[in-house]
Amino acid sequence: MRRPRHLSPEERSLWDRVAERATPLDPKRPDHAPSLPKVTKTPTPRVALPDFRVGQTANGKRPHDILPTITDRLSNTPVNMDHKSFGKMKRGKLKPEARIDLHGMTMAEAHPELVAFILGSQAVGRRLVLVITGKGKDRDDGGPIPTRHGILRHQVPQWLALPPLNHAILQVTPAHLKHGGHGAYYVYLRRNR
């Protein structure tokens, strides 16, 4: 709250001259507003705070906001295909009908290749295909921001979830070790209608 400013005698005489020449907007209105009764503040009682020690509630398992790994995210997606076939696919019992190896390609080279492969596979009636991305090289440049290794490994599931590929795909899951493990993905395609 601002404290009232006291006028000097010169300012007060100037203000009185201005006020004499001014015409009120509402002549029926009284010159001064009615004074309001003074409000007295009652002090709020102090509540005793409980004893506190730094780290007293720490249990070692604190939540974090770090993005889960790509494997965890794909594992937590709902199953959109037959559960029996899904189980066989995850165990490596289903043999992929075709495969594409994006290993060593740049993102600009890999994206059109992937789109053509997935849409072409669906057009000829394939159901299970294998997309090999490679695990990626660990190339930490020592900077303050950590860099992910395996750019294609992280980018391919995002491409598969976006149009035009998402309309052709029923399920994406990391491949079994015998088909490439974390460096490859099974892509189960919808039937071509």
Side-chain angles (χ1 to χ4, degrees):
M1 176 184 242
R2 289 179 65 179
R3 292 189 326 203
R5 183 172 170 247
H6 298 291
L7 299 176
S8 69
E10 295 165 352
E11 292 172 326
R12 186 68 190 169
S13 67
L14 179 64
W15 175 252
D16 289 339
R17 280 187 283 163
V18 170
E20 287 171 2
R21 293 185 195 146
T23 56
L25 293 175
D26 188 5
K28 298 175 189 169
R29 185 171 168 197
D31 287 343
H32 299 289
S35 61
L36 298 174
K38 280 196 169 188
V39 177
T40 57
K41 290 185 178 180
T42 56
T44 55
R46 293 201 173 223
V47 178
L49 295 175
D51 289 339
F52 174 75
R53 240 182 41 251
V54 174
Q56 71 186 16
T57 59
N59 59 4
K61 297 178 185 174
R62 53 175 233 208
H64 57 75
D65 60 352
I66 299 173
L67 189 65
T69 65
I70 194 72
T71 307
D72 292 340
R73 283 186 279 160
L74 287 175
S75 300
N76 292 333
T77 57
V79 177
N80 296 325
M81 57 186 281
D82 176 42
H83 284 280
K84 187 174 181 182
S85 298
F86 180 73
K88 285 181 180 178
M89 181 177 68
K90 283 194 67 132
R91 290 191 308 272
K93 301 293 183 190
L94 293 181
K95 184 178 178 191
E97 300 169 45
R99 68 182 62 217
I100 183 171
D101 192 351
L102 304 176
H103 208 184
M105 292 185 185
T106 65
M107 285 177 43
E109 295 167 341
H111 189 247
E113 291 288 327
L114 179 67
V115 171
F117 173 72
I118 295 294
L119 296 179
S121 294
Q122 187 194 28
V124 297
R126 294 182 183 131
R127 292 304 302 270
L128 181 63
V129 294
L130 184 67
V131 177
I132 302 168
T133 61
K135 292 182 182 178
K137 293 182 181 177
D138 188 17
R139 50 191 155 93
D140 186 15
D141 57 358
I145 300 173
T147 56
R148 287 186 171 160
H149 61 280
I151 293 172
L152 286 179
R153 188 173 135 226
H154 288 278
Q155 193 64 42
V156 164
Q158 293 176 9
W159 288 338
L160 295 173
L162 296 172
L165 298 179
N166 65 339
H167 301 295
I169 295 170
L170 200 57
Q171 193 78 43
V172 178
T173 188
H176 189 268
L177 282 175
K178 72 180 185 182
H179 291 128
H182 293 297
Y185 296 104
Y186 291 129
V187 180
Y188 200 80
L189 302 173
R190 294 181 190 276
R191 291 191 195 280
N192 194 10
R193 294 182 181 152

